[in-house]
């Protein structure tokens, strides 16, 4: 039975890879998922007999519910590739992490748990949930590969890093033909007077980003940036749109790979030591589909899962197609140390500099 199941998965994955390649060639377009490669079809080590038993039971369960704060496109690509590989439906619930945490809190309180796996960036929330016994230890063989580095990517042996959303620096190539080389270039006097786009720190993670800037580019970086009189936007996406339209010449951005592929007049750079918000994924102890949950968790840290989940972000494995960095390059504080009071105080300081 195990041999038949293994052969069925290999055949399904091969057919899926061929179908995906044909689809990409036929349709094209920068919004399409990254093309399938050899790495994308790599589902990691097969594991032992005990793991195969989990795989067989997962296929019998037939579905798994995934709560994720990751980008919609990445979540959908994970669901598609996982179902093609294992025949298991992934029900994705995508929302901002505050809403996901609130939803799970209600499920735990009522005992009516719907989620099987959750992925978000709240380190403090992960630790408190682990202390309460709400997360199971992942047992998949992909966690023990040398490439994954379980020793640095786990929190308390129950929750694991799967990606990191990063902030890069971008520019409009029509307005800045020579481009930028470092974040410090945003302080060029030629970019003063509303030519730089920045985001307002409305969350703890965004406050952490500005603290990263001060730690890496000088304690007076904030004051020097404010002297540029930048345009303030509510987030990274509006800045990317402003860069594309030429409303600003430069600014903080995500990876502008789709815009570049579409021929937009933009480009971007990624600092050697960059800031990012790590996504930590947890398997719920009360998961309605415990075996499918373990299988999905394992899939997320295989080359196939990483290709789906980390496009335009930082990956936890090396050489992942579509990823723009690896998480070992990402600098981020322990957000649990950013109390509501400290966040409010920092935001007040920031507003005193940037909001007239």
């Amino acid at each position: 039975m195990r041999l038949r199941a293994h052969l069925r998965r290999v055949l399904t994955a091969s057919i899926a890879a061929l179908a995906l390649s044909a689809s990409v060639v036929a349709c094209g377009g920068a919004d399409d998922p990254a093309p399938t490669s050899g790495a994308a079809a790599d589902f990691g080590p097969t594991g032992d007999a005990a793991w195969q038993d989990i795989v067989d039971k997962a296929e019998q369960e037939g579905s798994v519910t995934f709560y994720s704060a990751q980008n919609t496109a990445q979540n959908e690509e994970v669901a598609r590739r996982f179902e093609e590989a294992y025949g298991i439906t992934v029900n994705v619930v995508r929302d901002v992490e505050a809403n996901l945490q609130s939803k799970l809190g209600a499920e735990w309180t009522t005992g009516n748990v719907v989620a099987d796996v959750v992925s978000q960036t709240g380190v403090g929330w992960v630790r408190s949930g682990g202390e309460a016994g709400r997360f199971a230890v992942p047992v998949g063989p992909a966690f023990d590969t040398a490439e994954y580095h379980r020793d640095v990517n786990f929190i308390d042996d129950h929750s694991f890093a799967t990606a990191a959303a990063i902030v890069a620096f971008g520019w409009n190539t029509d307005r800045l033909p020579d481009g930028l080389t470092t974040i410090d270039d945003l302080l060029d006097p030629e970019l003063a007077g509303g030519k730089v786009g920045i985001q307002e720190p409305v969350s703890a993670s965004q406050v952490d980003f500005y603290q990263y800037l001060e730690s890496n580019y000088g304690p007076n970086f904030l004051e020097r940036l404010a002297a540029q009189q930048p345009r303030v936007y509510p987030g990274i996406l509006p800045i990317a749109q402003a860069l594309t339209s030429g409303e600003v010449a430069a600014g903080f951005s995500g990876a502008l790979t789709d815009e570049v592929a579409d021929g937009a007049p933009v480009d971007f750079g990624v600092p050697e030591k960059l800031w990012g918000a790590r996504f930590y994924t947890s398997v719920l102890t009360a998961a309605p589909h415990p075996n499918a949950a373990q299988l999905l968790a394992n899939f997320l840290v295989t080359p196939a899962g990483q290709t789906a989940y980390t496009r335009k972000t930082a990956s936890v494995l090396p050489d992942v197609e579509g990823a723009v960095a690896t998480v070992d390059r990402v600098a981020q504080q322990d957000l649990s140390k950013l109390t509501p009071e400290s966040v409010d105080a920092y935001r007040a300081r920031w507003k005193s500099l940037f909001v007239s």
Side-chain angles (χ1 to χ4, degrees), residues 16-331:
L18 289 172
L20 176 59
S21 298
S23 161
V24 170
V25 171
C27 299
D31 291 332
D32 292 332
T36 297
S37 65
D42 184 350
F43 298 102
T46 56
D48 57 13
W51 175 247
Q52 184 59 55
D53 184 56
I54 290 174
V55 175
D56 291 341
K57 289 178 179 177
E59 292 175 337
Q60 293 171 11
E61 288 171 352
S63 68
V64 61
T65 298
F66 185 32
Y67 285 11
S68 176
Q70 175 64 295
N71 183 281
T72 298
Q74 279 89 326
N75 289 331
E76 291 177 349
E77 186 67 358
V78 165
R80 187 180 67 79
R81 294 189 187 213
F82 186 77
E83 184 169 1
E84 286 178 344
Y86 297 103
I88 298 170
T89 300
V90 181
N91 302 308
V92 176
V93 177
R94 197 277 168 192
D95 208 337
V96 297
E97 59 192 55
N99 292 344
L100 292 178
Q101 293 168 8
S102 176
K103 184 174 177 61
L104 278 167
E107 292 180 14
W108 285 323
T109 298
T110 62
N112 183 26
V113 176
V114 175
D116 294 298
V117 181
V118 59
S119 186
Q120 48 78 62
T121 67
V123 177
W125 183 82
V126 164
R127 286 186 172 146
S128 63
E131 291 170 359
R134 289 169 172 165
F135 303 135
V137 175
V139 299
F143 293 106
D144 295 320
T145 62
E147 294 79 11
Y148 181 67
H149 297 292
R150 183 181 186 126
D151 57 329
V152 297
N153 282 323
F154 263 68
I155 290 181
D156 300 333
D157 207 37
H158 56 69
S159 298
F160 53 96
T162 40
I166 66 164
V167 177
F169 55 92
W171 62 91
N172 181 285
T173 54
D174 288 340
R175 297 187 63 176
L176 289 177
D178 294 334
L180 306 176
T181 57
T182 73
I183 284 178
D184 267 329
D185 290 341
L186 296 174
L187 304 179
D188 187 330
E190 294 295 322
L191 292 176
K195 297 177 184 177
V196 172
I198 66 171
Q199 78 267 32
E200 180 180 354
V202 297
S203 67
S205 63
Q206 290 166 330
V207 166
D208 184 64
F209 169 66
Y210 278 101
Q211 292 182 336
Y212 145 83
L213 292 175
E214 293 183 282
S215 296
N216 287 274
Y217 299 96
N220 63 342
F221 182 87
L222 214 59
E223 286 76 11
R224 296 166 65 200
L225 182 61
Q228 294 288 76
Q229 297 179 314
R231 291 176 182 256
V232 178
Y233 294 88
I236 292 298
L237 180 58
I239 297 175
Q241 294 168 342
L243 287 169
T244 300
S245 69
E247 182 174 286
V248 293
F252 298 118
S253 70
L256 302 174
T257 51
D258 290 341
E259 290 84 351
V260 171
D262 273 341
V266 294
D267 207 345
F268 70 98
V270 178
E272 183 57 34
K273 185 178 182 181
L274 67 156
W275 180 90
R278 282 179 173 83
F279 280 90
Y280 286 100
T281 302
S282 311
V283 174
L284 275 65
T285 51
H289 310 94
N291 296 287
Q294 288 286 354
L295 185 57
L296 177 60
N298 183 79
F299 173 76
L300 286 171
V301 299
T302 65
Q306 284 289 286
T307 300
Y309 200 58
T310 67
R311 182 171 178 266
K312 300 173 65 176
T313 65
S315 64
V316 294
L317 297 181
D319 304 318
V320 173
E321 183 179 6
V324 296
T326 49
V327 295
D328 59 293
R329 289 174 52 190
V330 172

